[in-house]
Every structure is written in structure tokens, then in C-alpha cells.
Amino acid sequence: IRVMKPSDIIYYTPPVVSPATVALSLPRSKLFKTVVDRMGKMSKLALLTAEQTGRLVFKVEHSSAVIRTYHAGLLPRDDLDMEAKAVVKADLRKLSTIMNFHSMQWDNACLYFSDNEALVLYISLSPPEAGHVTYFCPVVIMTEEETMSL
């Protein structure tokens, strides 16, 4: 436990982000961590396309290849529009770091996406009295030209 001055609390508050447009539960396997780590060997950045229907696509581009992985059947969370779609560009090294949550005792893990703005991982720990952990993964804001070409 760390006691801090009230004036320092502002440095520890979560960032302000728009409400999520897509929320997908993650499976208990380490598949996403493996995919992120392997793609990180090709590129520093990945384009993640999430659909509230339960589909998630990872895409990396290299000078000699474009690789996409498709993950279907993820469970949508919350009462969001089932037609919703969100695209974010994320730093693979930082995404890999937050995907290390499998070493914790957890009940539920959910990725929340705000189109071109935020990627948040929310983990409910086990037992429930242990609380929860929220990771805010920095995203690279895409230009209007980049978003139009998607």
C-alpha cells in the first residue's frame, strides 16, 4: 500500500475515453498472447478489427507480406449494438504486455474497443473479493485517410 498526497492522485486516474462500441469476452486459452507475440516479430503495430457479433481480426503489414488472423465465436458482452464494429491500431509490444493476464487467477476477461480511440482489457479476478484489473492499452490514432482505406 502506498500513501500519496492528494495532489498526486490525478496521475493515477484512468484516462478519459469514449464508451466502448464493441465488447468481447476472451477465452481461457493463451491463443491471443501467442498470436500477438508472433505478429510482433513482423511489425511494431497491428490493426485490430472487432465486431460485436463475436469476430476479431488481427492484421500486420510488412514490406513483403500482410498477415491476418481471424478469431470467430467470441462472446459479445454488454448491451451494445450487434452491428457495431471498431478498429484500433495498437503497439504489439504493449498489447503483449497486457495479454500476460493468464498468470493471474481470473474469472472473466473482456476487451473493450472504442473506434480509433481506445483498447481496454478488463479482468475480473478470482475469487470475486480479489477485485478486478483494468488495462488501458495505448492506441495509435489513425488519420482520416487511413480510416477511409479500411
Side-chain angles (χ1 to χ4, degrees), residues 5 7 10 18 38 45 62 69 91 118-119 134 140 147 150:
K5 297 184 281 184
S7 60
I10 192 166
S18 297
R38 297 246 171 106
L45 302 173
H62 187 269
T69 60
D91 181 312
L119 174 59
T134 305
V140 177
T147 57
L150 298 177

Side-chain angles (χ1 to χ4, degrees), residues 46-119:
L47 201 62
L48 282 75
T49 304
E51 298 174 10
Q52 189 64 16
T53 57
R55 184 173 177 206
L56 179 60
V57 179
F58 290 87
K59 175 184 170 186
V60 294
E61 295 182 4
H62 187 269
S63 59
S64 59
V66 174
I67 296 182
R68 289 187 179 116
T69 60
Y70 297 88
H71 308 274
L74 300 174
L75 296 176
R77 298 285 303 259
D78 296 331
D79 296 327
L80 300 173
D81 178 15
M82 288 304 286
E83 300 298 317
K85 178 180 174 180
V87 180
V88 296
K89 187 184 282 189
D91 181 312
L92 284 168
R93 189 176 311 147
K94 292 176 182 167
L95 186 57
S96 176
T97 301
I98 70 169
M99 288 300 204
N100 277 327
F101 70 91
H102 283 285
S103 60
M104 296 185 253
Q105 295 289 326
W106 58 283
D107 283 330
N108 296 306
C110 186
L111 277 175
Y112 291 89
F113 297 83
S114 288
D115 195 38
N116 198 26
E117 184 180 342
L119 174 59

